[in-house]
Amino acid sequence: AASADCEVNVELFRFEREEDDNGDAGAGAGGTLVPFQQLRYVSPFFGAVSSIGMSRDTLVYSTVSGGLFWYKLQNRDEDDAQYFLSQEMSFDGPANLYHYPLSADANMLALSVANEIYLYTTGEGGASEWKRERLVLQSKGDYAGYVGASVALSGGRVLVAEKREVAAYDLSGCATEPSPPSPVPTFSPTSAPSATPRPPEPPTCLNVNLYFDRYPSDTSWNIRYSEDGSVVARSPEYDPDVKTVSPQICLPEGDYEFTIFDVYGDGMCCKWGEGSYNLTSSGGALVARGGAFGANETTPFSMPFDPEDALVLPWQSD
């Protein structure tokens, strides 16, 4: 359930069955909803919860200002089962839209943004980071007010609301059923490794680290797909009191441009404070940095990001 509390985004409840007169807590028995966890605001700048989806051990919600937050359940069968934040992303939505329906299933997520349906995927069983796919589904519905197209997802099959009908898309070739939880491994102090460890996969996510001057609301940024200039990620309007933010943006393979803006043309440094920004890959490589950029500054990059392309700072070149 979405919460109206200013410090809490989501309240989670679990159903506990009551035993009948024979001590049986089967399917026919009654029960009660018991609160077991509150998910507090990760970043108030993304606003309140818009829509919530759950699939197996994953919970994800969208927010009214273009945020996506994923949580993973740990200790499923234990009394101390809890959801923990696993990934944060952002998306670009119309200024007058406040509801972004979503549906999650297996390794796929469908997010409705007005008449467009964005698709996100992850590895089998949620084994890797979520990333947004280039494919965008279109709805021909005519939506008034603040609500996007209704969407449902099951087994890779997507249903999208139209004017008087429902459009169906079969993307099951892109989805896999979640794998059962792996058993806890045991180790012998005398055993040798049976295989050579696989090398780590190239990073597919970036952290946008902003350290503001006195006027955070003057700063904004976006990431565009180089091929056609379409915006794939965009900052919210930052609160005047915020000091620093570090959203994570995950992208499919391709070429992109990161651009940072200052509405008054004096950058983040140094007339009104010593602000700065940097982009780092999920592996810690430096993609871009700056502060005294005037009205705007653009840095091209490719994903997955190759650490060989990382910026080298002056004191690292010796």
Side-chain angles (χ1 to χ4, degrees):
S3 172
D5 191 310
C6 292
E7 298 295 329
V8 176
N9 252 358
V10 178
E11 293 190 66
L12 301 177
F13 298 79
R14 62 171 168 239
F15 181 75
E16 294 188 354
R17 297 190 183 279
E18 298 174 350
E19 296 183 354
D20 58 20
D21 294 338
N22 298 320
D24 184 12
T32 57
L33 286 175
V34 178
F36 80 95
Q37 187 177 355
Q38 293 182 331
L39 303 182
R40 306 187 72 81
Y41 272 113
V42 176
S43 175
F45 319 109
F46 284 112
V49 169
S50 172
S51 183
I52 304 173
M54 299 182 72
S55 176
R56 196 173 174 82
D57 293 339
T58 299
L59 179 149
V60 56
Y61 64 81
S62 60
T63 71
V64 298
S65 297
L68 275 176
F69 298 92
W70 276 271
Y71 290 78
K72 293 288 290 184
L73 180 64
Q74 296 186 10
N75 303 325
R76 164 187 278 272
D77 299 321
E78 306 296 332
D79 292 337
D80 60 346
Q82 293 280 300
Y83 282 92
F84 294 88
L85 180 67
S86 60
Q87 190 173 340
E88 172 187 343
M89 295 180 70
S90 63
F91 59 90
D92 182 32
N96 63 340
L97 193 67
Y98 298 102
H99 185 48
Y100 300 97
L102 60 78
S103 182
D105 183 56
N107 68 330
M108 185 177 291
L109 170 74
L111 171 70
S112 174
V113 181
N115 290 65
E116 296 184 332
I117 309 300
Y118 299 161
L119 300 172
Y120 299 79
T121 61
T122 184
E124 184 176 353
S128 61
E129 294 174 322
W130 288 84
K131 64 179 182 179
R132 180 176 160 185
E133 300 294 339
R134 295 182 187 177
L135 176 65
V136 177
L137 305 180
Q138 298 288 334
S139 169
K140 299 177 182 178
D142 183 14
Y143 301 99
Y146 307 111
V147 180
S150 295
V151 61
L153 173 64
S154 178
R157 293 171 175 83
V158 185
L159 301 180
V160 180
E162 302 282 356
K163 288 186 178 180
R164 296 187 178 181
E165 57 189 19
V166 176
Y169 301 86
D170 187 355
L171 304 177
S172 55
C174 304
T176 59
E177 290 301 318
S179 301
S182 301
V184 177
T186 58
F187 300 94
S188 170
T190 59
S191 61
S194 58
T196 302
R198 294 171 54 188
E201 296 183 357
T204 58
C205 295
L206 296 173
N207 292 314
V208 182
N209 307 302
L210 304 180
Y211 307 92
F212 295 104
D213 59 8
R214 298 182 200 170
Y215 299 99
S217 57
D218 293 354
T219 302
S220 62
W221 57 266
N222 67 39
I223 297 176
R224 293 180 179 271
Y225 185 48
S226 298
E227 185 174 323
D228 58 11
S230 59
V231 175
V232 297
R234 175 179 292 172
S235 63
E237 181 176 345
Y238 291 116
D239 188 275
D241 297 325
V242 67
K243 303 299 182 183
T244 180
V245 295
S246 298
Q248 184 182 70
I249 310 298
C250 296
L251 301 166
E253 180 179 351
D255 298 324
Y256 300 90
E257 292 181 348
F258 171 84
T259 303
I260 189 164
F261 305 90
D262 185 273
V263 69
Y264 285 103
D266 53 11
M268 303 175 73
C269 184
C270 297
K271 185 177 181 180
W272 303 107
E274 297 184 359
S276 65
Y277 76 91
N278 66 69
L279 268 69
T280 56
S281 73
S282 54
L286 184 61
V287 181
R289 66 187 291 264
F293 53 81
N296 60 76
E297 186 169 63
T298 298
T299 301
F301 64 93
S302 298
M303 298 298 281
F305 187 74
D306 186 345
E308 294 294 326
D309 296 331
L311 295 182
V312 178
L313 300 177
W315 57 84
Q316 297 174 324
S317 60
D318 296 334

